[in-house]
Amino acid sequence: KAGVTQTPRYLIKTRGQQVTLSCSPISGHRSVSWYQQTPGQGLQFLFEYFSETQRNKGNFPGRFSGRQFSNSRSEMNVSTLELGDSALYLCASSFRRVDEQFFGPGTRLTVL
Amino acid sequence: GENVEQHPSTLSVQEGDSAVIKCTYSDSASNYFPWYKQELGKRPQLIIDIRSNVGEKKDQRIAVTLNKTAKHFSLHITETQPEDSAVYFCAASTTGTASKLTFGTGTRLQVTL
């Protein structure tokens, strides 16, 4: 099976812009979780989707949003970018619950 | 919510020695505890996990132990090799439908020759 893929791999944006990141899970996996990874904060949970429904959400502002499509692919959107949003954004997929999650390679977002 | 603490933040061992990384969690309802290894510039990879119905699990040179009473779990790597050098993350979660993984802050393991 192909692994989790994420596009794009790298992004450079300026403050105030918005960005959309995409994640394609492993075939058959219906749960997709998103994480923000920074050197200081480690892996922080953003949200989790299952069958197009957001099941759980972390402590991030409303500028961070996501969705999941019927084929389980997921996107996350960050509006009004801030310098502090610079991070590696990782998505992870699992079959049904959050156990046995497999990560994608991440999207490195730099906000200037 | 769940809080996971991980120690040490850095660990240096000589090749062939053992390495131990410890984590504590706060939510007594947590019942799933995975460990991830992240090499520089790579994605986190699941290396081993344990569920609350067992106290220990082994996979070749890697083992994880769980003490539910004390709410802590540990990763043990024996006969360390240079390719074990990476950042290791522990995590905890329940396995209900609205669960999420809460990660520790990571341990940077350096295996020296």
Side-chain angles (χ1 to χ4, degrees):
Chain A
K1 280 185 179 179
V4 180
T5 59
Q6 292 185 245
T7 56
R9 295 292 312 279
Y10 302 91
L11 268 177
I12 299 176
K13 294 286 187 178
T14 56
R15 280 182 301 173
Q17 288 187 309
Q18 74 166 16
V19 66
T20 299
L21 314 181
S22 181
C23 172
S24 293
I26 291 171
S27 178
H29 283 191
R30 296 166 64 189
S31 170
V32 175
S33 298
W34 288 89
Y35 298 87
Q36 181 193 67
Q37 186 175 29
T38 58
Q41 298 296 319
L43 281 153
Q44 299 289 311
F45 173 76
L46 282 155
F47 27 66
E48 187 248 349
Y49 287 87
F50 179 83
S51 291
E52 302 178 66
T53 299
Q54 185 182 89
R55 290 199 298 195
N56 210 340
K57 189 176 189 303
N59 296 323
F60 279 82
R63 300 184 297 107
F64 292 81
S65 63
R67 60 177 174 169
Q68 187 180 35
F69 302 95
S70 58
N71 61 358
S72 294
R73 189 178 69 85
S74 178
E75 290 181 345
M76 67 164 281
N77 184 276
V78 188
S79 62
T80 320
L81 284 166
E82 301 178 359
L83 295 178
D85 297 333
S86 294
L88 180 67
Y89 290 88
L90 292 157
C91 76
S93 77
S94 55
F95 177 62
R96 187 168 59 93
R97 300 178 301 193
V98 297
D99 49 350
E100 297 188 24
Q101 289 188 8
F102 296 90
F103 281 85
T107 295
R108 173 76 61 186
L109 172 64
T110 302
V111 182
L112 303 176
Chain B
E2 175 70 279
N3 182 51
V4 177
E5 294 190 358
Q6 183 172 348
H7 299 281
S9 56
T10 60
L11 179 59
S12 182
V13 300
Q14 285 198 317
E15 183 179 9
D17 287 349
S18 295
V20 180
I21 303 170
K22 299 181 179 181
C23 290
T24 60
Y25 60 99
S26 61
D27 187 351
S28 57
S30 289
N31 56 3
Y32 175 66
F33 308 92
W35 287 86
Y36 285 84
K37 174 185 180 182
Q38 187 174 29
E39 297 176 66
L40 190 62
K42 302 284 184 64
R43 71 188 76 188
Q45 288 190 304
L46 179 65
I47 56 172
I48 195 167
D49 57 12
I50 191 168
R51 300 177 193 274
S52 59
N53 57 344
V54 298
E56 184 176 6
K57 184 177 179 180
K58 288 184 179 180
D59 183 3
Q60 300 182 341
R61 297 185 296 107
I62 293 173
V64 57
T65 59
L66 171 65
N67 183 326
K68 287 194 305 182
T69 302
K71 290 191 282 188
H72 67 70
F73 56 112
S74 300
L75 178 71
H76 304 253
I77 306 174
T78 59
E79 301 173 18
T80 53
Q81 301 168 3
E83 52 265 38
D84 294 329
S85 296
V87 179
Y88 292 81
F89 293 95
C90 64
S93 81
T94 60
T95 52
T97 55
S99 300
K100 63 177 184 178
L101 277 179
T102 300
F103 284 84
T105 49
T107 295
R108 182 172 299 278
L109 174 64
Q110 180 70 47
V111 180
T112 58
L113 296 173

